[in-house]
Amino acid sequence: MEREVGLIPFKVEKRFRTYSQVPKGIEMVEAPVYWEKTKGAGQVIAVLDTGCQSDHPDLQNQIIGGKNFTRDYGGDENNFEDNNGHGTHVAGTIAAEENGNGVVGVAPEAKLLILKVLEGSGGGDMQGIIDAVNYAVSWRGENGERVRVMNLSLGGPQDIPELHEAVKNAVLEGVSVVCAAGNEGDGNLDTDEFAYPGAYNEVIQVGAVNFDGKLTKFTNTNDEIDLVAPGEYIQSTYLEGGYSELTGTSMAAPHVAGAVALVTNWAEEGFNRQISEAEMYAQIIRRTTPLGHPLTAEGNGLITLGLVERISSWSGEKPAVL
């Protein structure tokens, strides 16, 4: 199978040795408002990326398992360490621990299943990604935990039927598949740019805006965009126990993956049952705010976790469980 998949191009803006604040992106999606309800305990998010620094101070307690699907480290499937930096950054945005230092993720009490599908160079084998998607669906933890969300901040130009089938199966099994839209945008909202698996109808495809809510110049536009999240100058964990600001739709997607975990956790605790992937999707879309961009650019709008609660307070109604 052709090796035409890899990291969606991203930019390292700045690196830090130390850091101690809630990142702007986490604030923008209103995650701290939702922490009054839940911080994601009991949820597992699979991160299909370049791996993760397993002993990073903000992530070492969040990793519940992992596997290497690449040729790095001699193909040792037990070594899923990050030799690029991208995966560690994505993991931090999703679930960096709230420990009083460093950064904090959208779902700081959720757990991470690290699936290394991209090599240090950023490239990967399509079969490895397909295998990792299937692995995430079938994985079970020591206490019966299972993956409910997976994040793929990667893509390629080709529609691979086997990948599409794996994605469709994941959704049928109740797993939300969150994907970056891609960074091939040309600034012309009348043209479409597609990267797969993001362009599949079954996934939650995430575009990028800046902290002012304006579209980034690079974000892909197409009729499968579901919503947008911050993707420029995003602060998160990085290699060597440090931190960095990165830019790209790769940075937008994990904000949504963490948000799905929070909303799912709250809903399932409230109803005392497992909700379907369609229900997970519907509750995320309920928590989006239109920004005034075309649907092909922003889909339903910016993920804003506090929206339902604000609407309820304005109307004087008691917020529903969802």
Side-chain angles (χ1 to χ4, degrees):
M1 192 171 291
E2 296 183 22
R3 292 171 53 83
E4 291 194 25
V5 69
L7 286 179
I8 291 172
F10 67 102
K11 182 179 179 183
V12 180
E13 305 286 359
K14 192 183 298 183
R15 293 188 65 174
F16 309 88
R17 286 302 307 157
T18 60
Y19 200 84
S20 185
Q21 67 183 65
V22 177
K24 291 181 181 178
I26 306 301
E27 295 277 9
M28 187 173 179
V29 303
E30 301 180 354
V33 174
Y34 219 77
W35 294 342
E36 298 175 7
K37 302 177 180 296
T38 178
K39 294 182 179 179
Q43 295 296 311
V44 179
I45 302 101
V47 183
L48 283 69
D49 214 289
T50 61
C52 181
Q53 183 188 337
S54 61
D55 61 352
H56 193 290
D58 297 354
L59 297 170
Q60 59 187 354
N61 296 323
Q62 310 303 83
I63 299 172
I64 196 171
K67 186 174 180 179
N68 177 19
F69 291 84
T70 76
R71 298 177 297 184
D72 285 352
Y73 311 118
D76 179 0
E77 66 179 25
N78 296 313
N79 190 342
F80 48 85
E81 292 297 321
D82 187 2
N83 50 357
N84 177 282
H86 188 274
T88 298
H89 195 274
V90 166
T93 296
I94 296 172
E97 183 180 13
E98 188 178 23
N99 56 17
N101 294 298
V103 297
V104 60
V106 174
E109 292 183 2
K111 296 299 182 182
L112 299 168
L113 178 66
I114 305 300
L115 304 181
K116 181 175 171 59
V117 298
L118 300 177
E119 298 171 357
S121 63
D125 187 281
M126 183 60 74
Q127 187 60 54
I129 294 171
I130 294 167
D131 291 344
V133 170
N134 292 330
Y135 178 86
V137 172
S138 62
W139 177 89
R140 296 294 182 270
E142 292 182 358
N143 298 309
E145 303 95 336
R146 57 165 301 195
V147 170
R148 298 306 310 283
V149 188
M150 64 177 75
N151 188 93
L152 290 88
S153 288
L154 51 80
Q158 290 183 309
D159 175 1
I160 305 296
E162 294 88 347
L163 176 61
H164 197 182
E165 287 302 314
V167 165
K168 288 191 286 188
N169 178 65
V171 172
L172 285 173
E173 293 293 329
V175 181
S176 282
V177 181
V178 180
C179 299
N183 299 345
E184 293 81 34
D186 57 7
N188 182 353
L189 300 183
D190 294 325
T191 60
D192 290 339
E193 303 86 28
F194 295 97
Y196 297 92
Y200 293 137
N201 176 261
E202 293 81 4
V203 311
I204 301 176
Q205 184 180 200
V206 186
V209 294
N210 63 22
F211 293 132
D212 294 322
K214 297 179 180 178
L215 290 175
T216 60
K217 296 179 180 179
F218 52 80
T219 189
N220 282 10
T221 57
N222 59 72
D223 59 5
E224 294 293 346
I225 299 288
D226 291 285
L227 73 170
V228 292
E232 196 167 56
Y233 301 104
I234 302 303
Q235 305 101 338
S236 187
T237 46
Y238 207 63
L239 299 180
E240 299 176 352
Y243 306 89
S244 70
E245 288 182 356
L246 301 187
T247 288
T249 56
S250 284
M251 286 58 255
H255 287 92
V256 175
V260 174
L262 288 183
V263 171
T264 299
N265 197 54
W266 177 246
E268 294 187 339
E269 286 181 2
F271 286 116
N272 195 30
R273 68 171 175 85
Q274 180 174 305
I275 64 174
S276 69
E277 194 280 336
E279 289 175 305
M280 295 159 75
Y281 178 77
Q283 293 309 318
I284 281 295
I285 296 307
R286 284 187 68 195
R287 292 165 171 82
T288 53
T289 300
L291 300 175
H293 308 300
L295 292 177
T296 54
E298 70 169 42
N300 293 276
L302 173 69
I303 177 68
T304 41
L305 284 165
L307 178 63
V308 172
E309 288 67 28
R310 287 200 301 278
I311 292 175
S312 297
S313 66
W314 295 338
S315 65
E317 298 177 358
K318 183 179 179 180
V321 172
L322 292 181

